[in-house]
Amino acid sequence: MKRYSIYSALIALCVAGGMSSCVEDEGSGIVTDINKITISGIESQYDCTSYFDTLRIAPTLTFSLDNIPEDKLEYSWFFCYTPDATTGHKHEKISSNRNLEYKMDVAPGSYSLHLQVKDKNTGIKYEASSLVNAGSRFVRGFYLYGDKPDGLVGMDFVSMPAGKDTMVINDIFTNSAQIKGAKDLIFTGHRDNGFNALWAVTNDGQYPVEYSARLEHVDVIPDKTFDSNIYSTLSTVQRPFHLANICPGTWGPQCISLSGNARQRVIITENEIFVCNMSLSEAYGNPINRDNTNTEVLFKPYPVAFYSGALSSVSYVCFFDMTNHCFKKPAHKVLSSATKCAKPTSDSESPFYFDQNNYTPVRQIVYGENGYGNDGRSYALMTDSDGNYYVYSFTAPTAYASDPIKHYARKIDLSVATDFAKASHYAFFSNQMIILYSVGNVLYAYDYNRNDVKSIDMGAEITYLAMEHQSSLTPTDFVVATYSNSEKGIVRKYSIADNVNSIEITPHAREVWKTGLKVVRVLWKYSNY
Protein backbone atom coordinates (compact mmCIF):
# COMPACT_ATOMS: atom_id res chain seq x y z
CA MET A 1 0.00 0.00 0.00
CA LYS A 2 1.44 3.31 -0.99
CA ARG A 3 0.22 5.70 1.71
CA TYR A 4 -2.60 6.34 4.23
CA SER A 5 -4.17 9.55 5.55
CA ILE A 6 -6.94 10.35 8.07
CA TYR A 7 -9.10 13.44 7.67
CA SER A 8 -11.08 15.17 10.47
CA ALA A 9 -11.68 18.76 11.51
CA LEU A 10 -13.21 17.68 14.80
CA ILE A 11 -10.67 15.35 16.38
CA ALA A 12 -7.43 15.58 18.28
CA LEU A 13 -5.16 12.60 18.54
CA CYS A 14 -4.04 11.64 22.01
CA VAL A 15 -0.91 9.53 22.25
CA ALA A 16 0.52 8.65 25.64
CA GLY A 17 2.53 5.47 26.04
CA GLY A 18 0.33 2.59 24.85
CA MET A 19 -2.89 4.62 24.79
CA SER A 20 -5.23 4.32 21.82
CA SER A 21 -6.26 7.22 19.57
CA CYS A 22 -9.09 9.17 21.17
CA VAL A 23 -11.44 12.11 20.64
CA GLU A 24 -13.17 14.34 23.21
CA ASP A 25 -16.93 14.80 23.09
CA GLU A 26 -17.10 18.61 23.51
CA GLY A 27 -20.65 18.46 24.90
CA SER A 28 -19.91 16.05 27.71
CA GLY A 29 -16.17 16.35 28.16
CA ILE A 30 -15.91 12.56 27.85
CA VAL A 31 -12.91 11.21 25.93
CA THR A 32 -13.95 8.43 23.49
CA ASP A 33 -11.61 5.96 21.75
CA ILE A 34 -11.58 6.17 17.93
CA ASN A 35 -12.35 2.95 16.08
CA LYS A 36 -9.49 3.46 13.61
CA ILE A 37 -9.75 1.78 10.16
CA THR A 38 -6.71 0.27 8.43
CA ILE A 39 -6.98 -0.51 4.70
CA SER A 40 -4.93 -3.35 3.18
CA GLY A 41 -5.11 -5.60 0.12
CA ILE A 42 -4.25 -2.81 -2.30
CA GLU A 43 -0.98 -3.19 -4.18
CA SER A 44 1.41 -0.27 -4.55
CA GLN A 45 1.21 -0.61 -8.35
CA TYR A 46 -1.01 -2.25 -10.95
CA ASP A 47 0.01 -2.89 -14.56
CA CYS A 48 -2.96 -3.07 -16.90
CA THR A 49 -3.67 -2.92 -20.61
CA SER A 50 -5.74 -0.02 -21.92
CA TYR A 51 -9.10 -0.78 -23.57
CA PHE A 52 -8.77 -4.42 -22.56
CA ASP A 53 -8.20 -5.25 -18.89
CA THR A 54 -10.60 -4.85 -15.99
CA LEU A 55 -8.98 -3.69 -12.76
CA ARG A 56 -10.33 -5.75 -9.87
CA ILE A 57 -9.44 -4.95 -6.25
CA ALA A 58 -10.97 -6.38 -3.06
CA PRO A 59 -9.60 -4.34 -0.14
CA THR A 60 -9.44 -5.65 3.42
CA LEU A 61 -10.49 -3.47 6.35
CA THR A 62 -9.31 -3.97 9.92
CA PHE A 63 -10.53 -2.00 12.94
CA SER A 64 -8.71 -0.95 16.06
CA LEU A 65 -11.84 -1.66 18.12
CA ASP A 66 -15.05 -3.41 17.07
CA ASN A 67 -16.08 -4.14 13.50
CA ILE A 68 -18.10 -1.35 11.90
CA PRO A 69 -21.23 -2.52 10.07
CA GLU A 70 -21.16 -2.10 6.29
CA ASP A 71 -24.15 0.24 6.35
CA LYS A 72 -22.10 2.61 8.50
CA LEU A 73 -19.28 2.81 5.93
CA GLU A 74 -19.15 4.81 2.72
CA TYR A 75 -16.75 3.94 -0.11
CA SER A 76 -15.39 6.23 -2.82
CA TRP A 77 -12.92 5.12 -5.50
CA PHE A 78 -11.22 7.92 -7.48
CA PHE A 79 -9.22 7.67 -10.72
CA CYS A 80 -6.82 10.53 -11.10
CA TYR A 81 -5.12 11.58 -14.34
CA THR A 82 -4.06 14.49 -16.56
CA PRO A 83 -5.43 13.85 -20.06
CA ASP A 84 -3.44 16.63 -21.72
CA ALA A 85 -1.91 20.03 -21.13
CA THR A 86 -5.10 21.94 -21.91
CA THR A 87 -7.64 20.13 -19.74
CA GLY A 88 -5.34 19.69 -16.76
CA HIS A 89 -5.80 17.45 -13.77
CA LYS A 90 -8.94 15.33 -13.54
CA HIS A 91 -10.09 13.53 -10.38
CA GLU A 92 -12.97 11.24 -11.32
CA LYS A 93 -15.09 9.14 -8.97
CA ILE A 94 -15.45 5.71 -10.57
CA SER A 95 -17.17 3.55 -7.93
CA SER A 96 -19.06 3.61 -4.62
CA ASN A 97 -18.67 -0.11 -3.98
CA ARG A 98 -16.22 -1.68 -1.56
CA ASN A 99 -14.80 -4.01 -4.21
CA LEU A 100 -13.63 -2.33 -7.39
CA GLU A 101 -14.28 -3.60 -10.92
CA TYR A 102 -13.14 -0.95 -13.39
CA LYS A 103 -12.87 -1.47 -17.17
CA MET A 104 -9.67 0.22 -18.30
CA ASP A 105 -11.21 2.19 -21.16
CA VAL A 106 -8.58 4.90 -20.87
CA ALA A 107 -5.65 5.95 -23.01
CA PRO A 108 -2.27 4.42 -22.16
CA GLY A 109 -0.41 6.28 -19.41
CA SER A 110 0.25 6.46 -15.66
CA TYR A 111 -2.62 7.16 -13.29
CA SER A 112 -3.22 7.27 -9.53
CA LEU A 113 -6.02 5.35 -7.86
CA HIS A 114 -7.50 6.36 -4.49
CA LEU A 115 -9.89 4.63 -2.12
CA GLN A 116 -11.61 6.65 0.60
CA VAL A 117 -13.49 4.85 3.35
CA LYS A 118 -15.71 7.09 5.47
CA ASP A 119 -16.93 6.17 8.94
CA LYS A 120 -20.44 7.64 8.93
CA ASN A 121 -20.53 7.68 12.74
CA THR A 122 -17.54 10.02 13.10
CA GLY A 123 -17.23 11.52 9.62
CA ILE A 124 -13.58 10.46 9.53
CA LYS A 125 -12.17 9.43 6.13
CA TYR A 126 -9.39 6.91 5.68
CA GLU A 127 -7.50 6.66 2.39
CA ALA A 128 -5.28 4.25 0.49
CA SER A 129 -3.78 4.92 -2.92
CA SER A 130 -1.91 3.13 -5.67
CA LEU A 131 -0.22 3.75 -9.01
CA VAL A 132 -1.86 2.30 -12.14
CA ASN A 133 0.22 1.90 -15.30
CA ALA A 134 -2.01 1.48 -18.33
CA GLY A 135 -0.04 -0.02 -21.18
CA SER A 136 -1.00 -0.06 -24.83
CA ARG A 137 -1.83 -3.16 -26.83
CA PHE A 138 -0.45 -1.39 -29.91
CA VAL A 139 3.14 -0.66 -28.91
CA ARG A 140 4.61 -4.00 -29.90
CA GLY A 141 3.41 -6.56 -32.41
CA PHE A 142 2.51 -7.23 -36.05
CA TYR A 143 0.13 -5.44 -38.34
CA LEU A 144 -1.80 -7.88 -40.55
CA TYR A 145 -2.81 -5.99 -43.68
CA GLY A 146 -5.01 -7.18 -46.52
CA ASP A 147 -8.46 -7.29 -48.07
CA LYS A 148 -11.72 -8.30 -46.43
CA PRO A 149 -14.07 -10.63 -48.34
CA ASP A 150 -15.98 -7.58 -49.62
CA GLY A 151 -12.77 -6.12 -51.12
CA LEU A 152 -12.34 -3.32 -48.59
CA VAL A 153 -8.92 -2.90 -47.00
CA GLY A 154 -8.69 -4.21 -43.45
CA MET A 155 -6.11 -4.38 -40.71
CA ASP A 156 -5.65 -6.60 -37.65
CA PHE A 157 -2.96 -6.35 -34.99
CA VAL A 158 -1.11 -9.22 -33.32
CA SER A 159 -0.53 -7.59 -29.95
CA MET A 160 2.55 -8.70 -27.99
CA PRO A 161 2.64 -6.64 -24.78
CA ALA A 162 5.78 -7.28 -22.72
CA GLY A 163 5.09 -9.91 -20.07
CA LYS A 164 1.56 -10.62 -21.32
CA ASP A 165 -0.06 -13.14 -23.63
CA THR A 166 -0.17 -12.51 -27.36
CA MET A 167 -3.61 -11.67 -28.74
CA VAL A 168 -5.04 -10.90 -32.18
CA ILE A 169 -7.05 -7.68 -32.21
CA ASN A 170 -9.36 -7.77 -35.21
CA ASP A 171 -10.53 -4.93 -37.41
CA ILE A 172 -8.54 -2.02 -35.96
CA PHE A 173 -8.78 -0.03 -39.23
CA THR A 174 -11.94 2.09 -39.45
CA ASN A 175 -11.42 2.72 -43.19
CA SER A 176 -13.82 5.64 -43.40
CA ALA A 177 -12.42 6.36 -46.88
CA GLN A 178 -13.57 2.89 -48.04
CA ILE A 179 -10.26 2.16 -49.76
CA LYS A 180 -9.91 -1.13 -51.65
CA GLY A 181 -7.20 -3.30 -53.17
CA ALA A 182 -4.54 -3.79 -50.46
CA LYS A 183 -1.04 -3.89 -51.91
CA ASP A 184 1.48 -3.00 -49.17
CA LEU A 185 1.75 -1.52 -45.70
CA ILE A 186 4.82 0.55 -44.90
CA PHE A 187 5.89 1.60 -41.40
CA THR A 188 9.15 3.36 -40.69
CA GLY A 189 10.57 5.37 -37.87
CA HIS A 190 12.06 5.38 -34.42
CA ARG A 191 10.59 3.89 -31.26
CA ASP A 192 10.63 7.16 -29.32
CA ASN A 193 10.40 10.09 -31.71
CA GLY A 194 7.94 11.72 -34.02
CA PHE A 195 9.49 10.57 -37.31
CA ASN A 196 7.22 7.56 -37.65
CA ALA A 197 5.00 7.07 -40.67
CA LEU A 198 2.45 4.42 -41.59
CA TRP A 199 1.17 4.23 -45.17
CA ALA A 200 -1.52 1.92 -46.48
CA VAL A 201 -0.67 1.31 -50.13
CA THR A 202 -3.38 0.12 -52.50
CA ASN A 203 -3.43 -0.71 -56.20
CA ASP A 204 -4.30 2.88 -57.07
CA GLY A 205 -2.80 5.04 -54.32
CA GLN A 206 -1.40 5.44 -50.82
CA TYR A 207 -3.03 6.66 -47.66
CA PRO A 208 -1.47 7.93 -44.41
CA VAL A 209 -2.78 5.99 -41.44
CA GLU A 210 -2.78 6.88 -37.75
CA TYR A 211 -0.15 4.85 -35.92
CA SER A 212 -0.43 6.16 -32.35
CA ALA A 213 -0.16 3.44 -29.72
CA ARG A 214 -2.71 5.42 -27.68
CA LEU A 215 -5.50 4.67 -30.15
CA GLU A 216 -7.79 1.65 -30.01
CA HIS A 217 -8.73 2.05 -33.69
CA VAL A 218 -6.90 3.82 -36.51
CA ASP A 219 -8.08 5.47 -39.69
CA VAL A 220 -6.82 7.37 -42.70
CA ILE A 221 -5.43 10.77 -41.70
CA PRO A 222 -7.57 13.40 -43.47
CA ASP A 223 -6.09 16.24 -45.51
CA LYS A 224 -2.62 14.70 -45.67
CA THR A 225 -1.10 13.67 -48.99
CA PHE A 226 2.11 11.98 -49.97
CA ASP A 227 2.76 14.64 -52.61
CA SER A 228 2.76 17.55 -50.19
CA ASN A 229 6.35 16.98 -49.04
CA ILE A 230 7.84 16.69 -52.53
CA TYR A 231 9.09 19.87 -54.25
CA SER A 232 10.44 18.59 -57.55
CA THR A 233 10.96 20.91 -60.52
CA LEU A 234 11.56 18.18 -63.12
CA SER A 235 8.97 17.76 -65.87
CA THR A 236 9.66 14.00 -65.98
CA VAL A 237 8.36 13.49 -62.47
CA GLN A 238 5.06 11.62 -62.73
CA ARG A 239 2.31 12.93 -60.48
CA PRO A 240 0.38 11.60 -58.73
CA PHE A 241 3.13 9.57 -57.10
CA HIS A 242 2.68 5.88 -56.38
CA LEU A 243 4.57 4.88 -53.26
CA ALA A 244 6.64 1.71 -53.57
CA ASN A 245 8.93 1.75 -50.51
CA ILE A 246 10.38 3.81 -47.68
CA CYS A 247 13.91 3.22 -46.45
CA PRO A 248 14.91 2.52 -43.79
CA GLY A 249 12.03 0.46 -42.53
CA THR A 250 11.44 -0.98 -39.10
CA TRP A 251 14.47 -2.56 -37.52
CA GLY A 252 14.58 -4.72 -34.44
CA PRO A 253 12.84 -4.48 -31.10
CA GLN A 254 13.50 -0.77 -30.82
CA CYS A 255 12.73 0.35 -34.39
CA ILE A 256 15.93 2.42 -34.38
CA SER A 257 16.36 2.61 -38.14
CA LEU A 258 16.31 6.41 -38.11
CA SER A 259 18.95 6.73 -35.39
CA GLY A 260 22.29 8.38 -36.04
CA ASN A 261 23.15 11.96 -36.85
CA ALA A 262 21.58 12.29 -40.28
CA ARG A 263 18.19 10.57 -39.78
CA GLN A 264 18.00 10.06 -43.50
CA ARG A 265 14.96 8.81 -45.33
CA VAL A 266 14.66 7.41 -48.84
CA ILE A 267 11.33 7.38 -50.68
CA ILE A 268 10.97 5.11 -53.71
CA THR A 269 7.96 5.54 -55.95
CA GLU A 270 7.16 3.60 -59.10
CA ASN A 271 9.29 6.03 -61.10
CA GLU A 272 11.38 8.15 -58.69
CA ILE A 273 13.84 8.03 -55.79
CA PHE A 274 13.73 10.92 -53.29
CA VAL A 275 16.01 11.54 -50.30
CA CYS A 276 15.93 13.91 -47.35
CA ASN A 277 17.39 14.61 -43.91
CA MET A 278 14.61 14.23 -41.37
CA SER A 279 16.48 16.33 -38.80
CA LEU A 280 15.92 19.37 -41.00
CA SER A 281 12.42 18.68 -42.27
CA GLU A 282 10.64 16.06 -44.30
CA ALA A 283 11.05 17.88 -47.59
CA TYR A 284 12.15 16.15 -50.78
CA GLY A 285 13.62 17.94 -53.81
CA ASN A 286 14.33 16.55 -57.25
CA PRO A 287 14.64 12.78 -57.61
CA ILE A 288 18.13 11.28 -57.65
CA ASN A 289 17.48 8.40 -60.07
CA ARG A 290 19.28 10.08 -62.97
CA ASP A 291 22.86 9.90 -64.23
CA ASN A 292 23.71 13.62 -63.98
CA THR A 293 22.14 16.78 -62.62
CA ASN A 294 21.82 18.34 -66.10
CA THR A 295 19.26 15.84 -67.34
CA GLU A 296 15.62 15.28 -66.58
CA VAL A 297 15.80 11.69 -67.84
CA LEU A 298 15.00 9.29 -64.99
CA PHE A 299 15.73 5.59 -64.81
CA LYS A 300 13.09 3.28 -63.35
CA PRO A 301 14.20 2.05 -59.93
CA TYR A 302 13.63 -1.39 -58.48
CA PRO A 303 11.63 -0.61 -55.32
CA VAL A 304 14.28 -1.65 -52.77
CA ALA A 305 17.10 0.39 -51.29
CA PHE A 306 19.82 -2.14 -50.54
CA TYR A 307 21.55 -1.64 -47.19
CA SER A 308 22.93 -3.77 -44.37
CA GLY A 309 20.11 -5.07 -42.21
CA ALA A 310 22.63 -5.94 -39.48
CA LEU A 311 23.43 -2.27 -38.79
CA SER A 312 21.51 -0.20 -36.25
CA SER A 313 21.19 2.76 -38.61
CA VAL A 314 21.39 3.41 -42.33
CA SER A 315 24.09 5.71 -43.63
CA TYR A 316 24.29 4.62 -47.27
CA VAL A 317 22.44 2.49 -49.83
CA CYS A 318 22.51 1.31 -53.43
CA PHE A 319 19.82 0.70 -56.03
CA PHE A 320 19.13 -1.26 -59.19
CA ASP A 321 18.47 0.71 -62.38
CA MET A 322 15.79 -1.31 -64.21
CA THR A 323 15.98 0.90 -67.31
CA ASN A 324 19.70 0.40 -67.88
CA HIS A 325 20.05 -2.94 -66.05
CA CYS A 326 22.76 -1.87 -63.62
CA PHE A 327 23.44 -1.51 -59.89
CA LYS A 328 24.04 2.12 -58.91
CA LYS A 329 24.71 4.17 -55.78
CA PRO A 330 23.95 7.80 -54.79
CA ALA A 331 26.68 10.11 -56.07
CA HIS A 332 27.38 12.07 -52.90
CA LYS A 333 29.23 11.26 -49.70
CA VAL A 334 26.09 12.17 -47.72
CA LEU A 335 23.07 10.12 -48.78
CA SER A 336 20.51 12.85 -48.10
CA SER A 337 22.54 15.38 -50.14
CA ALA A 338 22.72 13.29 -53.31
CA THR A 339 21.28 14.70 -56.54
CA LYS A 340 22.13 11.83 -58.90
CA CYS A 341 23.34 8.22 -59.01
CA ALA A 342 26.48 6.65 -60.43
CA LYS A 343 27.76 3.21 -61.37
CA PRO A 344 30.23 1.56 -58.99
CA THR A 345 33.77 2.76 -59.65
CA SER A 346 35.01 -0.67 -60.77
CA ASP A 347 33.38 -3.76 -62.24
CA SER A 348 34.35 -7.28 -63.25
CA GLU A 349 32.73 -10.64 -63.91
CA SER A 350 34.04 -12.01 -60.62
CA PRO A 351 31.63 -13.22 -59.35
CA PHE A 352 29.12 -11.11 -61.32
CA TYR A 353 28.97 -7.80 -63.16
CA PHE A 354 27.26 -4.79 -61.64
CA ASP A 355 26.31 -3.82 -65.19
CA GLN A 356 23.98 -6.56 -66.50
CA ASN A 357 24.44 -5.38 -70.08
CA ASN A 358 27.70 -7.32 -70.04
CA TYR A 359 25.65 -10.52 -70.28
CA THR A 360 23.97 -11.93 -73.39
CA PRO A 361 21.05 -11.98 -72.98
CA VAL A 362 20.91 -9.01 -70.62
CA ARG A 363 19.81 -9.84 -67.09
CA GLN A 364 17.02 -8.06 -65.22
CA ILE A 365 16.12 -8.07 -61.54
CA VAL A 366 13.09 -10.13 -60.45
CA TYR A 367 13.32 -9.78 -56.68
CA GLY A 368 15.62 -8.22 -54.11
CA GLU A 369 15.82 -7.95 -50.34
CA ASN A 370 18.11 -7.08 -47.45
CA GLY A 371 19.08 -10.06 -45.29
CA TYR A 372 20.06 -10.15 -41.66
CA GLY A 373 22.48 -13.05 -41.34
CA ASN A 374 26.04 -13.02 -42.69
CA ASP A 375 26.59 -9.43 -41.50
CA GLY A 376 23.57 -8.12 -43.32
CA ARG A 377 24.14 -9.24 -46.88
CA SER A 378 21.68 -8.25 -49.58
CA TYR A 379 20.30 -10.49 -52.31
CA ALA A 380 19.05 -10.09 -55.86
CA LEU A 381 17.28 -12.66 -58.01
CA MET A 382 18.01 -12.06 -61.70
CA THR A 383 16.59 -13.51 -64.91
CA ASP A 384 17.17 -13.22 -68.65
CA SER A 385 15.11 -13.65 -71.80
CA ASP A 386 16.17 -17.29 -72.08
CA GLY A 387 14.37 -18.02 -68.81
CA ASN A 388 17.48 -18.55 -66.69
CA TYR A 389 17.58 -17.41 -63.05
CA TYR A 390 20.56 -16.33 -60.95
CA VAL A 391 21.09 -15.37 -57.31
CA TYR A 392 23.51 -12.53 -56.46
CA SER A 393 24.77 -11.99 -52.92
CA PHE A 394 26.48 -8.74 -51.94
CA THR A 395 26.98 -6.27 -49.11
CA ALA A 396 25.66 -2.79 -49.80
CA PRO A 397 28.12 0.13 -49.43
CA THR A 398 28.27 2.01 -46.14
CA ALA A 399 29.86 5.11 -47.69
CA TYR A 400 30.19 6.86 -51.05
CA ALA A 401 33.88 5.90 -51.25
CA SER A 402 33.06 2.19 -51.28
CA ASP A 403 31.32 -0.03 -53.81
CA PRO A 404 29.02 -2.92 -52.96
CA ILE A 405 31.05 -5.97 -51.96
CA LYS A 406 30.25 -9.00 -54.13
CA HIS A 407 30.07 -12.43 -52.51
CA TYR A 408 28.76 -14.94 -55.04
CA ALA A 409 26.50 -15.67 -58.00
CA ARG A 410 24.63 -18.96 -58.40
CA LYS A 411 22.46 -20.27 -61.20
CA ILE A 412 19.11 -21.83 -60.31
CA ASP A 413 18.74 -25.41 -61.55
CA LEU A 414 15.19 -25.31 -62.89
CA SER A 415 15.12 -29.09 -63.28
CA VAL A 416 15.31 -29.33 -59.45
CA ALA A 417 13.62 -26.10 -58.34
CA THR A 418 10.07 -27.13 -59.26
CA ASP A 419 7.94 -24.42 -60.92
CA PHE A 420 10.46 -21.76 -59.88
CA ALA A 421 9.49 -19.48 -62.77
CA LYS A 422 5.84 -19.59 -61.65
CA ALA A 423 6.54 -18.37 -58.12
CA SER A 424 4.43 -15.55 -56.69
CA HIS A 425 6.69 -14.86 -53.68
CA TYR A 426 10.38 -15.22 -52.86
CA ALA A 427 12.45 -14.88 -49.67
CA PHE A 428 16.16 -15.40 -48.99
CA PHE A 429 17.51 -17.24 -45.94
CA SER A 430 20.72 -15.29 -45.51
CA ASN A 431 22.60 -17.76 -43.28
CA GLN A 432 22.57 -20.44 -45.97
CA MET A 433 22.26 -20.55 -49.75
CA ILE A 434 18.54 -21.18 -49.56
CA ILE A 435 15.72 -19.35 -51.30
CA LEU A 436 12.09 -19.83 -50.26
CA TYR A 437 9.39 -19.48 -52.90
CA SER A 438 5.70 -20.24 -53.26
CA VAL A 439 3.51 -21.50 -56.07
CA GLY A 440 -0.21 -21.68 -55.30
CA ASN A 441 -0.60 -23.72 -52.11
CA VAL A 442 2.95 -25.02 -52.04
CA LEU A 443 5.91 -23.59 -50.14
CA TYR A 444 9.34 -24.54 -51.50
CA ALA A 445 12.80 -24.24 -49.96
CA TYR A 446 15.56 -24.59 -52.54
CA ASP A 447 19.22 -24.99 -51.57
CA TYR A 448 21.07 -23.56 -54.59
CA ASN A 449 24.44 -24.70 -53.23
CA ARG A 450 23.61 -28.42 -52.73
CA ASN A 451 20.92 -28.32 -55.44
CA ASP A 452 18.24 -29.73 -53.17
CA VAL A 453 14.58 -28.78 -52.70
CA LYS A 454 11.93 -29.40 -50.05
CA SER A 455 8.22 -28.61 -50.34
CA ILE A 456 5.27 -28.18 -47.97
CA ASP A 457 1.64 -28.11 -49.09
CA MET A 458 0.01 -25.39 -46.99
CA GLY A 459 -3.51 -26.47 -47.92
CA ALA A 460 -4.54 -22.99 -49.06
CA GLU A 461 -3.29 -20.24 -51.36
CA ILE A 462 -0.11 -18.57 -50.10
CA THR A 463 -0.74 -14.83 -50.15
CA TYR A 464 2.40 -13.65 -48.34
CA LEU A 465 5.91 -14.99 -47.69
CA ALA A 466 8.85 -13.17 -46.11
CA MET A 467 11.78 -13.61 -43.74
CA GLU A 468 11.07 -12.05 -40.35
CA HIS A 469 14.11 -10.90 -38.39
CA GLN A 470 12.77 -7.61 -37.05
CA SER A 471 10.92 -8.87 -33.97
CA SER A 472 13.44 -11.39 -32.64
CA LEU A 473 16.72 -10.40 -34.33
CA THR A 474 17.19 -13.86 -35.77
CA PRO A 475 17.82 -14.62 -39.45
CA THR A 476 16.13 -18.02 -39.27
CA ASP A 477 12.46 -16.98 -38.86
CA PHE A 478 9.98 -16.48 -41.67
CA VAL A 479 6.24 -15.88 -42.01
CA VAL A 480 3.69 -17.44 -44.37
CA ALA A 481 0.10 -16.22 -44.82
CA THR A 482 -2.57 -18.33 -46.53
CA TYR A 483 -6.19 -17.75 -47.49
CA SER A 484 -9.16 -19.94 -48.30
CA ASN A 485 -12.88 -19.24 -48.51
CA SER A 486 -13.57 -21.71 -45.71
CA GLU A 487 -10.90 -20.80 -43.14
CA LYS A 488 -10.15 -17.24 -44.33
CA GLY A 489 -6.66 -15.99 -43.47
CA ILE A 490 -4.06 -17.80 -41.38
CA VAL A 491 -0.60 -16.42 -40.60
CA ARG A 492 2.07 -18.85 -39.44
CA LYS A 493 5.63 -18.38 -38.28
CA TYR A 494 8.41 -20.89 -39.01
CA SER A 495 12.13 -21.36 -38.46
CA ILE A 496 14.58 -22.76 -40.95
CA ALA A 497 17.64 -24.49 -39.54
CA ASP A 498 21.10 -23.02 -40.03
CA ASN A 499 22.39 -26.31 -41.43
CA VAL A 500 24.67 -26.69 -44.45
CA ASN A 501 23.72 -30.36 -44.92
CA SER A 502 19.92 -30.34 -44.99
CA ILE A 503 16.79 -28.24 -45.25
CA GLU A 504 14.88 -28.31 -41.96
CA ILE A 505 11.74 -26.24 -41.44
CA THR A 506 10.03 -26.10 -38.05
CA PRO A 507 6.63 -24.47 -37.38
CA HIS A 508 6.16 -22.27 -34.33
CA ALA A 509 3.23 -23.99 -32.66
CA ARG A 510 2.26 -20.94 -30.60
CA GLU A 511 2.63 -18.40 -33.40
CA VAL A 512 -0.39 -19.16 -35.56
CA TRP A 513 -2.76 -16.22 -35.99
CA LYS A 514 -6.21 -16.37 -37.59
CA THR A 515 -7.66 -13.41 -39.43
CA GLY A 516 -10.56 -12.67 -41.75
CA LEU A 517 -8.19 -10.95 -44.16
CA LYS A 518 -6.47 -12.06 -47.32
CA VAL A 519 -3.12 -10.93 -45.97
CA VAL A 520 -0.66 -9.21 -48.31
CA ARG A 521 1.65 -7.80 -45.63
CA VAL A 522 2.81 -8.77 -42.14
CA LEU A 523 4.60 -5.80 -40.64
CA TRP A 524 6.48 -5.48 -37.34
CA LYS A 525 5.89 -2.44 -35.15
CA TYR A 526 7.54 -1.40 -31.90
CA SER A 527 6.78 2.22 -31.15
CA ASN A 528 5.41 4.19 -28.21
CA TYR A 529 4.04 6.75 -30.65
Side-chain angles (χ1 to χ4, degrees), residues 53-56 79 92 94 100-106:
D53 285 339
T54 297
L55 182 59
R56 294 181 173 88
F79 205 64
E92 178 185 2
I94 59 174
L100 178 68
E101 287 197 9
Y102 180 62
K103 185 72 165 63
M104 292 295 294
D105 287 333
V106 296

Side-chain angles (χ1 to χ4, degrees), residues 151-172:
L152 289 173
V153 168
M155 197 185 305
D156 295 344
F157 192 75
V158 181
S159 177
M160 298 177 168
K164 295 180 179 291
D165 291 338
T166 296
M167 68 190 87
V168 179
I169 306 171
N170 299 113
D171 209 18
I172 68 167

